Amino acid sequence: MDAKAILIFLAVGAIAGLLASIVVGGGGLFYYVIIGVIGSFVGGFLFNALNINIATGSVIANQIITSTIGAIIVVILARVIA
């Protein structure tokens, strides 16, 4: 993975974390990135397991939507456990 891919991955994670925090609450840039990155793995796994395909026409938009849904799930599960 090169530096450009890592920056894009972190940017998508930050956007997804921000969108998830708007839906379920939370704050802080570091929090957004961490939740967004974890959410991208969770969302990707769930969408793969459930055979869900989002066809928006943009790879980045698909990843942001998937990551946001995963991040929302992560935040809700963390709140239920804590």
Side-chain angles (χ1 to χ4, degrees), residues 14-55:
I15 293 168
L18 174 66
L19 293 173
S21 72
I22 290 171
V23 173
V24 292
L29 180 62
F30 186 70
Y31 176 80
Y32 296 154
V33 172
I34 297 299
I35 293 301
V37 169
I38 294 170
S40 83
F41 288 112
V42 170
F45 175 77
L46 288 176
F47 280 33
N48 238 358
L50 299 173
N51 201 21
I52 298 172
N53 186 15
I54 299 175

Side-chain angles (χ1 to χ4, degrees), residues 61-77:
N62 292 347
Q63 187 60 40
I64 290 172
I65 293 168
T66 302
S67 299
T68 301
I69 292 171
I72 290 169
I73 291 169
V74 167
V75 170
I76 290 172
L77 285 176

